[in-house]
Amino acid sequence: METLKYKGFIGSIEAELDDDTLYGKVLGLDKKTLITYEGKTLTELKKDFKNAIDDYIEHCKENGLEFHKSYSGSFNIRIPVDLHARIAAMAQSEGISLNAFVKESLMRAVM
């Protein structure tokens, strides 16, 4: 999937075939925040994406709100207790934290 990137935000690129419109939304934001954009061309879509991000940041600054970028780098995962215990034991045997073990495992999986 192709995405747009700007100031630490990541946005989707979608197409509405019925009216030849491109559109998207910023990915990875909290549930209360929705930022969308659109355009008839890719150039228009990119411009509206950047404008939407700039507007969001300005709105947050003007209202004393903390703004959230796409994907904070932190997420929770629910796994069975026995798997948790096995992973923790493996991390300990390698002399690294559970977080470091999971991070390294995920990096190997996506590389």
Side-chain angles (χ1 to χ4, degrees):
M1 172 175 70
E2 295 292 327
T3 58
L4 301 173
K5 296 176 179 75
Y6 180 65
K7 294 186 176 179
F9 294 87
I10 301 170
S12 67
I13 302 172
E14 306 290 335
E16 178 56 58
L17 301 178
D18 291 339
D19 65 1
D20 295 325
T21 301
L22 299 170
Y23 66 96
K25 70 177 182 177
V26 175
L27 304 171
L29 298 176
D30 64 38
K31 294 177 186 176
K32 296 180 264 181
T33 305
L34 176 64
I35 303 172
T36 62
Y37 43 90
E38 65 179 51
K40 286 285 187 186
T41 66
L42 190 54
T43 299
E44 286 180 11
L45 183 73
K46 289 177 181 179
K47 183 178 179 182
D48 201 40
F49 170 67
K50 290 178 179 181
N51 287 339
I53 297 300
D54 289 338
D55 288 348
Y56 170 65
I57 292 170
E58 187 61 31
H59 169 78
C60 289
K61 286 180 181 177
E62 287 176 358
N63 293 285
L65 304 171
E66 181 181 350
F67 66 88
H68 303 277
K69 293 184 179 182
S70 297
Y71 306 106
S72 66
S74 175
F75 68 95
N76 294 322
I77 182 170
R78 290 174 182 80
I79 58 175
V81 172
D82 61 322
L83 178 59
H84 188 168
R86 291 190 347 242
I87 294 169
M90 288 182 76
Q92 186 175 23
S93 73
E94 292 184 22
I96 60 175
S97 70
L98 178 61
N99 190 67
F101 181 85
V102 172
K103 178 181 171 185
E104 289 176 15
S105 298
L106 291 173
M107 287 176 67
R108 281 192 305 269
V110 299
M111 295 295 177

